[in-house]
Amino acid sequence: MKPRLFLSPPHMSGREQLYIAQAFESNYIAPLGPMVERFEQSIRDLTLSPNALALSSATAALHLALRVLGVGTGDVVLASSFTFIGSIAPILYQNAIPIFIDSDSSSWNLDPFLIEEAIRKAPKKPKALILTHLYGQCADLDKIIALCNHHEIALIEDAAESLGATYKDKQSGTFGTFGVYSFNGNKILTTSGGGMLVSPDKELIDKARFYSTQARDDAPYYEHTEYGYNYRMSNILASIGVAQMEVLTERIAVRRQIFEWYREILHDISEITFMPELSETRGNRWLTTLIFEHSDPNAIRLALETENIESRPLWKPMHLQPLFKDTLSIQNGTAQKLFEKGLCLPSGTQMSQDDVMRVCTYLKMSLK
Ligand SMILES: *Cc1c(COP(=O)(O)O)cnc(C)c1O
């Protein structure tokens, strides 16, 4: 059996253990410490966002964003339906009400033309919109920002998958009141688990920092007028993040190259459509994703599995989840079609062109 091709395995730069050793030497085996500061600085340098807060996960970062914005019981939060549950669960943590918005076929991301219908149908004026940039490809930001501004809805960008992607040369995650990145094990960079919250507004990040460290008041003893969370990132994991950030540019170049190889090798198969890239945007192509017009992606997935190749259906839209069977959603059928017709292909940055050829060979053999 040939070695397994995973969807998106971790890819270390080689300097992680050096930085971990430095963290050990300094004895900052703690949440917080110099490596956390360096990691946050590397995110500020990349994104040009003036404020960054390293956290235990992107889910925690989204939760803090909602909390700081004052989203609470009964408040309405609009959100991309075509996303991962980590994007949405924080709305429930706050006892708020999600309303899901379907995708458009030009970006596969949130369809801006459905936002006003969602606002009209909402039981009250939405306080925030959580917008996912799916699979590392940017959503139609200009239109979405204009509508958020017009309706005074705070934009939270879920850029968990899109670190390093740009929209009109500006980093994804830096357009909203908050942006969130993930360093979970399968993302384009990983700290084994971790997240980052960014914002142009220092006061908001200071407040999030306060909540992330148990909401301790400024007193010599532990005094609390509010409750918080234990959401900060460990200094050891931040060491991994520092080393990973050094290779982000290379990693994006390779992910994009892998996508190009897939596209070239499969170009003669007319039933295949790849996830698009909006003009004036540059995604990180975290995963190469595609849909099939006729063939059954599940059959293809199982055929690839017998060749020790991992592939995965696209995210199941939130409006089709049992958890949200009674939740309002604005649909146009796009996300459901993408889910039923789509597949994510192995896209790890250690893949060679031969590996991509191997995937394509078996993929072609399993087409209808
Ligand atoms: C991975 C992911 C998250 C959650 O990130 P964690 O760091 O694992 O909490 C949220 N949203 C999207 C779109 C993701 O892909």
Side-chain angles (χ1 to χ4, degrees):
M1 187 56 99
K2 289 221 178 124
R4 185 159 176 81
L5 284 175
F6 289 99
L7 213 57
S8 180
H11 185 181
M12 294 297 104
S13 73
R15 294 175 68 79
E16 288 79 3
Q17 286 182 319
L18 177 73
Y19 296 144
I20 291 171
Q22 288 176 11
F24 268 74
E25 278 155 29
S26 71
N27 206 32
Y28 272 105
I29 318 295
L32 303 184
M35 286 298 177
V36 173
E37 278 156 42
R38 270 177 73 177
F39 188 32
E40 289 173 349
Q41 184 60 48
S42 71
I43 288 288
R44 287 194 291 269
D45 290 345
L46 169 78
T47 62
L48 305 180
S49 174
N51 307 289
L53 181 67
L55 297 160
S56 53
S57 70
T59 308
L62 287 163
H63 186 199
L64 289 172
L66 293 175
R67 176 81 190 274
V68 169
L69 288 170
V71 172
T73 302
D75 286 333
V76 172
V77 178
L78 309 179
S80 304
S81 185
F82 196 35
T83 189
F84 171 64
I85 187 69
S87 188
I88 303 303
I91 302 171
L92 306 184
Y93 302 168
Q94 288 303 100
N95 293 312
I97 303 166
I99 297 181
F100 298 118
I101 300 179
D102 213 320
S103 294
D104 63 31
S105 52
S106 54
S107 72
W108 294 17
N109 281 306
L110 185 139
D111 183 347
F113 291 100
L114 301 180
I115 290 178
E116 298 211 292
E117 186 182 344
I119 296 170
R120 271 199 307 278
K121 292 190 173 158
K124 60 194 239 196
K125 186 173 128 59
K127 273 198 175 164
L129 165 64
I130 301 180
L131 171 69
T132 299
H133 301 294
L134 210 62
Y135 301 118
Q137 302 302 106
C138 291
D140 194 350
L141 273 162
D142 278 349
K143 289 197 194 81
I144 295 167
I145 291 166
L147 286 162
C148 282
N149 288 343
H150 180 70
H151 293 280
E152 296 174 309
I153 296 170
L155 175 63
I156 302 170
E157 289 177 82
D158 180 347
E161 302 175 359
S162 67
L163 181 69
T166 56
Y167 181 93
K168 298 189 176 170
D169 292 326
K170 192 167 140 70
Q171 292 283 321
S172 71
T174 63
F175 292 82
T177 306
F178 284 108
V180 165
Y181 306 106
S182 172
F183 300 91
N184 195 18
N186 61 355
K187 297 300 198 299
I188 191 159
L189 300 185
T190 182
T191 59
S192 79
M196 192 75 70
L197 183 65
V198 297
S199 174
D201 187 328
K202 180 168 185 303
E203 264 178 50
L204 296 182
I205 287 286
D206 286 346
K207 194 80 205 205
R209 183 179 296 109
F210 169 75
Y211 286 130
S212 74
T213 50
Q214 305 286 21
R216 300 196 302 245
D217 291 347
D218 191 9
Y221 38 81
Y222 283 89
E223 176 147 296
H224 306 277
T225 44
E226 288 186 88
Y227 69 88
Y229 317 90
N230 182 5
Y231 276 172
R232 266 303 227 168
M233 176 178 271
S234 122
N235 195 53
I236 303 300
L237 298 190
S239 317
I240 304 176
V242 171
Q244 288 274 285
M245 284 297 286
E246 292 176 354
V247 292
L248 176 64
T249 308
E250 289 159 51
R251 295 292 187 265
I252 294 173
V254 174
R255 297 259 177 183
R256 290 182 64 87
Q257 175 65 71
I258 288 167
F259 169 76
E260 286 305 328
W261 285 332
Y262 276 121
R263 190 152 72 173
E264 282 159 24
I265 300 169
L266 298 173
H267 83 273
D268 55 338
I269 311 218
S270 60
E271 71 155 313
I272 285 179
T273 306
F274 289 95
M275 183 173 185
E277 183 163 63
L278 292 178
S279 65
E280 296 189 87
T281 75
R282 186 175 189 272
N284 67 18
R285 291 286 179 196
W286 170 52
L287 295 181
T288 288
T289 58
L290 70 182
I291 50 171
F292 302 91
E293 196 62 45
H294 321 291
S295 295
D296 172 14
N298 197 42
I300 297 167
R301 183 177 63 79
L302 294 172
L304 292 175
E305 192 54 52
T306 64
E307 296 299 329
N308 212 16
I309 297 167
E310 183 184 25
S311 62
R312 200 192 284 158
L314 302 186
W315 298 125
K316 181 169 182 175
M318 292 301 132
H319 69 263
L320 300 179
Q321 298 288 352
L323 174 62
F324 296 118
K325 62 182 183 339
D326 300 322
T327 301
L328 183 61
S329 61
I330 311 300
Q331 303 172 28
N332 59 20
T334 303
Q336 179 165 3
K337 181 186 155 207
L338 294 170
F339 168 63
E340 287 168 356
K341 292 290 184 185
L343 208 58
C344 307
L345 298 178
S347 307
T349 38
Q350 280 146 317
M351 284 176 80
S352 64
Q353 192 168 8
D354 283 349
D355 291 330
V356 173
M357 185 61 91
R358 185 181 141 203
V359 177
C360 293
T361 302
Y362 293 109
L363 188 151
K364 282 183 181 179
M365 280 166 54
S366 58
L367 294 177
K368 222 170 32 192

